[in-house]
Amino acid sequence: MSRTVFGAQIIWEALIAEGVDVCFGMPGGAILPTYDALAKYEYQIHHVLVTHEQGASHMADGYARATGRVGVCIATSGPGAINLMTGLATAQMDSVPIVAITGQVPVSLLGKDGFQEADIQGVSLPITKHNYLVTNIEELGPAIKEAFYIARTGRPGPVLVDVTKDVQQTLMEGFDYDAIEVNLPGYISNKMEADPKDIARAARLINESERPVIVAGQGVSIAHAEAELRVLAEKANIPVATSLLGIGTFPTTHPLSISWGGMHGEAYCNHALQECDVLIAVGARLDDRLTGKFDTFAPKARIVHFDIDPAEMGKNLTIDTPVVGDALLSLRSLLPQIESTSHPDWLEQIEEWKRDSKEIDILEQETDDLNAPFIVRSLWHMTNGGDATIVTDVGQHQMWEAQYFNHTKKRSLLTSGGLGTMGYALPAAIGAQMGLKSEEVWVMAGDGGFQMTMIELKTVREQNVPVKITIINNSFLGMVQQWQDVFYEKRYSGTPLMNPDFVKIAEAYGIPARMVDKKEDVEDAIREAQETDGPFLIEFRVPTEHVYPMVPAGKSNSEMIRRKRPLLPTDEE
Amino acid sequence: MKFNSKHTIIAWMEDKPGVLNRVAGLFRRRNFNIESLTVGHSETPGISRMTFVASGSQRELSQIQTQLDKLINITRIQDVTDEPALVRELALIKVEATGENRHEVVQMAELHRAEIVDVTIDSLVVQIVGREDRVNALVENLRHFGIIEMVRTGAVAMTRSRLKTVEEFGSNGTNQ
């Protein structure tokens, strides 16, 4: 049905038509007409006022990762839009669907360096999947429709729509969102079926393999192919590793799970990757944090790479059998061609490596000190074996979370893997919690990253988001300190932190909180947080510690640094 | 796989504001090595056509094409390096030409099948259209006289039509 509406109304009506129930943003001059029109739509779309626009883009990201729907953030021109960029780059690196709407100065002022003008299309160009500058009311509806289509199809990603203020204020006759057709002749969308010849070649390679390994990435989750992945693994008894973002696509409690690999992945997983003869990557982009030095990764393996993005084929590694297509469709056509086999010798070898890893596990060592792995494992137990969504920040705690929280649920770990954005956790968890409604959402952050965006505690309180927050506080930028220990002769340049009292900070925002520095109090604190109606913050004070294993940057995954074996002389580290 | 080779690639793209910026930004961001780039209209309204010459390993060249193809506004990519194709560039070369050597410059241009398109009392502008090596040869020979100024367009390319058999032309062997 066509109607006469203002540009500002088109924005809201388009969002509602796209199924958006919540959006995150902050007003300002160039987006004011749109905020003025919000009152008309408040019953259909919930607007969350953020403290800083970076929070808005991370919230949209957390919402999108947790629910699989498109996250939406809104900001004004110039500084407002630029503040969104960290979150958009984070989403671009991790293929997260976001639509960002930004206000822009009126067309008459474009290019005149007017107040709060910045070239947002130019700024966001390399860190978005696509972007639009709308200078004409006729283009507004189609731009938003295309933005949603591009964001959620194919390999998902963030799309920005920059709308000049005058367009928001212009009346348009005959607006009908449903009648707009997406016209993108150069865009390859989703549901691409792979070439049957590639599938057959992949099947042959997998059937011939003696020491196969699957590397499952986030693409499995995006394509909803978790069940098919499991059938493939079980049918041919193939051990499954994941990438960091692939955590949750295959239950880590499954006997064929070999956890995750890479720089701080499990040692037995890296051994398996280095020794396998066929590596089957599914929806994983095989980045440097997973592979270590490219030309020494999986040296004995022929690689089968399933991915929807043709540009990922051969970007980092030489691929023997590229299979371009949607992971779900590809696995479905692959499965009938896979022979049932078992690989007893190979699986026994992996078990042996696993036992060795367990022996030097920090949780097996007797220490009274509170440590992050202990906290993570306690949280896992206290959430009935991981029935919660964990949103991490970036650093040591992130790696420990990934190592010690046995993720069994899909989309249960939200983390900035590609860009490694400190400050991600709190705002992303707010977005996740708003998308997941009453499900349990935990923030796990370090003291450094938490402080980058802790101003969003204001949003937590204002929206009464029942998110549970943990801070692993070692008064250091811990991961950087670890690198200084290993590569810079313990010169702690810029890493010691003089922190505030986090309990008081939380209380200042009206959020109940407590501090824990003993192992015996961990369970009780987690229980108190769970039993509290609404948000709760726990500060865990821990001594500094290293994350092991560790593959030094630029080195081969065969050159892992391992934790010292207790009570045994060793030349390691 | 490792050795570098030079490739001529054609890309078709929607004629929208900022598209060239997207292409140039991609080349810069991905650290691709581009030797020349030429853009103009195609036979289809709303679609521009770009020819670019890039060098790199097979893997790099494949990355250039797949990454470019990911840009929403790019509609098609074709590598014409190993296909029968017409590849041409245009150059305008302003050469010092006083009374004594003017005749020699004109003769040199004629030998290269280039044209004189502008004449002043002390200079000539030579125009040449041809493959890159022909342009290079002329430029080298004109250096001797003193090049004041030069502009080259970079290559444009088009695949040749497939040669038709006698049968396809029709029974009388003519192209009517």
Side-chain angles (χ1 to χ4, degrees):
Chain A
M1 192 187 69
S2 85
R3 290 159 46 243
T4 300
V5 287
F6 283 101
Q9 290 174 276
I10 291 178
I11 291 175
W12 293 115
E13 293 189 14
L15 296 186
I16 292 162
E18 294 291 346
V20 178
D21 56 356
V22 57
C23 61
F24 309 92
M26 176 171 258
I31 194 76
L32 255 178
T34 298
Y35 271 83
D36 191 48
L38 174 59
K40 289 193 189 70
Y41 303 96
E42 266 176 342
Y43 293 102
Q44 290 154 284
I45 191 162
H46 179 62
H47 175 265
V48 175
L49 177 65
V50 300
T51 319
H52 181 287
E53 291 87 349
Q54 183 186 346
S57 46
H58 288 325
M59 286 177 209
D61 175 310
Y63 174 91
R65 291 195 211 214
T67 64
R69 301 196 290 268
V70 179
V72 174
C73 53
I74 302 173
T76 191
S77 63
I82 287 172
N83 283 344
L84 290 179
M85 294 304 147
T86 306
L88 296 185
T90 304
Q92 170 76 351
M93 281 290 257
D94 289 349
S95 308
V96 181
I98 287 181
V99 169
I101 309 278
T102 51
Q104 180 55 280
V105 299
V107 172
S108 58
L109 284 174
L110 272 179
K112 307 288 193 289
D113 299 330
F115 179 64
Q116 293 195 327
E117 185 194 0
D119 172 16
I120 292 308
Q121 200 183 23
V123 170
S124 64
L125 196 81
I127 53 168
T128 49
K129 185 172 174 185
H130 196 55
N131 61 18
Y132 292 87
L133 170 61
V134 181
T135 55
N136 181 330
I137 185 76
E138 302 287 335
E139 297 161 4
L140 181 57
I144 299 178
K145 194 156 204 170
E146 287 176 11
F148 273 90
Y149 183 74
I150 292 168
R152 65 161 75 100
T153 55
R155 179 178 181 173
V159 182
L160 180 138
V161 185
D162 199 24
V163 188
T164 55
K165 187 173 185 177
D166 52 324
V167 165
Q168 299 167 48
Q169 293 166 316
T170 304
L171 261 181
M172 180 182 174
E173 287 175 24
F175 171 69
D176 181 357
Y177 193 71
D178 294 336
I180 296 169
E181 281 181 22
V182 170
N183 177 28
L184 297 164
Y187 180 59
I188 315 146
S189 83
N190 61 337
K191 299 296 166 207
M192 289 193 303
E193 296 220 29
D195 188 333
K197 284 198 290 271
D198 291 339
I199 298 277
R201 208 173 300 135
R204 205 177 319 126
L205 210 55
I206 296 167
N207 289 334
E208 284 169 5
S209 68
E210 289 174 358
R211 301 186 311 279
V213 168
I214 293 170
V215 175
Q218 190 189 213
V220 173
S221 145
I222 294 168
H224 305 287
E226 288 94 348
E228 284 72 10
L229 173 75
R230 193 166 167 164
V231 173
L232 170 66
E234 288 174 354
K235 191 171 182 186
N237 273 290
I238 305 172
V240 181
T242 69
S243 64
L244 180 67
L245 288 190
I247 289 175
T249 57
F250 191 79
T252 31
T253 47
H254 192 285
L256 285 168
S257 168
I258 55 168
S259 192
W260 56 285
M263 184 173 269
H264 294 292
E266 293 288 355
Y268 63 87
C269 182
N270 281 340
H271 285 316
L273 293 173
Q274 290 304 89
E275 292 301 317
C276 69
D277 66 348
V278 170
L279 189 142
I280 307 141
V282 189
R285 65 188 174 86
L286 304 173
D287 79 314
D288 64 290
R289 280 299 186 268
L290 174 73
T291 64
K293 196 176 171 192
F294 290 139
D295 49 14
T296 60
F297 177 68
K300 300 166 187 173
R302 285 179 291 173
I303 300 176
V304 186
H305 196 176
F306 293 88
D307 206 289
I308 199 162
D309 182 354
E312 287 302 337
M313 298 301 162
K315 188 176 80 180
N316 294 346
L317 304 169
T318 304
I319 304 300
D320 295 84
T321 307
V323 186
V324 177
D326 176 85
L328 180 66
L329 299 180
S330 294
L331 290 183
R332 275 190 185 158
S333 46
L334 175 80
L335 284 172
Q337 302 177 43
I338 296 296
E339 294 159 10
S340 286
T341 39
S342 55
H343 300 96
D345 295 347
W346 176 227
L347 294 178
E348 179 46 42
Q349 170 67 73
I350 290 173
E351 279 307 312
E352 202 174 295
W353 288 324
K354 214 184 249 186
R355 281 192 292 275
D356 169 65
S357 285
K358 199 167 161 41
E359 267 177 34
I360 51 174
D361 191 318
I362 189 168
L363 287 186
E364 302 295 313
Q365 299 186 12
E366 285 186 15
T367 161
D368 292 332
D369 282 344
L370 183 59
N371 60 63
F374 179 84
I375 297 163
V376 173
R377 190 51 65 83
S378 303
L379 184 60
W380 181 74
H381 284 300
M382 299 284 294
T383 51
N384 300 320
D387 188 15
T389 300
I390 313 293
V391 188
T392 78
D393 220 81
V394 170
Q396 290 185 312
H397 70 277
Q398 177 190 31
M399 298 296 104
W400 279 316
E401 198 288 339
Q403 290 177 343
Y404 289 95
F405 199 96
N406 296 324
H407 286 273
T408 50
K409 262 179 41 173
K410 56 182 178 184
R411 299 182 179 278
S412 61
L413 168 61
L414 315 185
T415 193
S416 168
L419 198 68
T421 308
M422 285 173 71
Y424 172 80
L426 179 63
I430 295 170
Q433 184 81 71
M434 303 214 68
L436 296 172
K437 312 285 186 210
S438 58
E439 286 177 47
E440 205 170 317
V441 176
W442 284 82
V443 170
M444 183 159 283
D447 45 323
F450 182 74
Q451 290 184 78
M452 289 189 176
T453 53
M454 69 179 177
I455 45 175
E456 298 303 342
L457 287 173
K458 185 208 103 214
T459 312
V460 170
R461 184 68 282 168
E462 186 174 292
Q463 301 286 330
N464 198 26
V465 186
V467 66
K468 314 300 176 189
I469 302 158
T470 63
I471 303 169
I472 311 291
N473 178 7
N474 61 1
S475 295
F476 261 98
L477 296 175
M479 186 60 94
V480 185
Q481 189 209 24
Q482 177 168 346
W483 282 52
Q484 289 171 333
D485 277 338
V486 180
F487 307 115
Y488 298 91
E489 296 166 331
K490 299 184 193 294
R491 288 187 296 275
Y492 299 144
S493 172
T495 47
L497 298 179
M498 201 187 89
N499 286 325
D501 182 333
F502 288 108
V503 172
K504 279 191 183 156
I505 292 268
E507 284 168 352
Y509 283 100
I511 295 167
R514 71 185 266 190
M515 190 276 287
V516 172
D517 57 4
K518 292 184 196 66
K519 271 183 168 176
E520 53 266 34
D521 295 336
V522 170
E523 208 178 293
D524 188 56
I526 293 173
R527 187 176 304 112
E528 189 183 350
Q530 287 172 320
E531 286 171 357
T532 301
D533 194 19
F536 195 90
L537 182 145
I538 313 170
E539 176 197 354
F540 291 105
R541 290 205 187 149
V542 298
T544 56
E545 171 62 68
H546 285 182
V547 180
Y548 292 109
M550 175 190 196
V551 179
K555 290 284 172 67
S556 157
N557 279 1
S558 307
E559 299 173 70
M560 274 176 292
I561 303 173
R562 305 284 302 277
R563 182 172 299 282
K564 283 179 186 163
R565 217 169 273 275
L567 307 172
L568 284 174
T570 172
D571 54 358
E572 285 172 317
E573 200 192 5
Chain B
M1 289 293 277
K2 284 273 186 227
F3 74 94
N4 284 9
S5 58
K6 195 190 257 189
H7 278 235
T8 305
I9 298 164
I10 305 173
W12 287 262
M13 59 196 74
E14 291 180 90
D15 181 14
K16 288 187 172 169
V19 175
L20 190 59
N21 192 13
R22 289 179 199 278
V23 172
L26 179 82
F27 287 155
R28 179 192 52 75
R29 170 169 128 61
R30 297 273 175 193
N31 202 17
F32 295 145
N33 186 12
I34 303 300
E35 293 189 9
S36 75
L37 189 155
T38 308
V39 197
H41 295 299
S42 73
E43 71 286 357
T44 314
I47 297 289
S48 304
R49 177 172 171 143
M50 176 176 84
T51 307
F52 66 94
V53 178
S55 58
S57 66
Q58 199 56 47
R59 191 197 263 176
E60 285 166 333
L61 287 160
S62 147
Q63 268 289 299
I64 291 179
Q65 290 175 63
T66 51
Q67 293 289 1
L68 208 51
D69 210 11
K70 260 169 80 171
L71 294 180
I72 310 287
N73 303 121
I74 298 274
T75 56
R76 194 183 150 208
I77 310 253
Q78 189 183 9
D79 186 340
V80 298
T81 313
D82 298 325
E83 294 187 39
L86 300 163
V87 183
R88 297 289 181 270
E89 75 171 297
L90 181 146
L92 296 173
I93 308 149
K94 191 181 283 175
V95 188
E96 282 179 36
T98 49
E100 305 118 54
N101 66 5
R102 176 172 289 124
H103 188 67
E104 276 183 75
V105 175
V106 171
Q107 208 172 23
M108 186 62 75
E110 278 172 2
L111 286 170
H112 282 270
R113 282 186 282 153
E115 285 178 63
I116 307 296
V117 291
D118 189 51
V119 182
T120 65
I121 195 78
D122 53 5
S123 72
L124 292 173
V125 175
V126 183
Q127 171 187 302
I128 184 168
V129 175
R131 288 200 323 265
E132 189 195 8
D133 53 349
R134 274 193 59 208
V135 178
N136 288 346
L138 173 64
V139 170
E140 277 316 302
N141 283 333
L142 291 180
R143 273 196 206 287
H144 167 72
F145 303 103
I147 294 176
I148 301 165
E149 196 182 343
M150 175 173 82
V151 59
R152 294 173 70 155
T153 59
V156 292
M158 180 181 280
T159 51
R160 288 177 189 270
S161 300
R162 192 170 56 86
L163 287 175
K164 289 183 179 176
T165 59
V166 174
E167 287 73 32
E168 283 175 310
F169 267 101
S171 54
N172 62 357
T174 62
N175 192 13
Q176 296 298 306

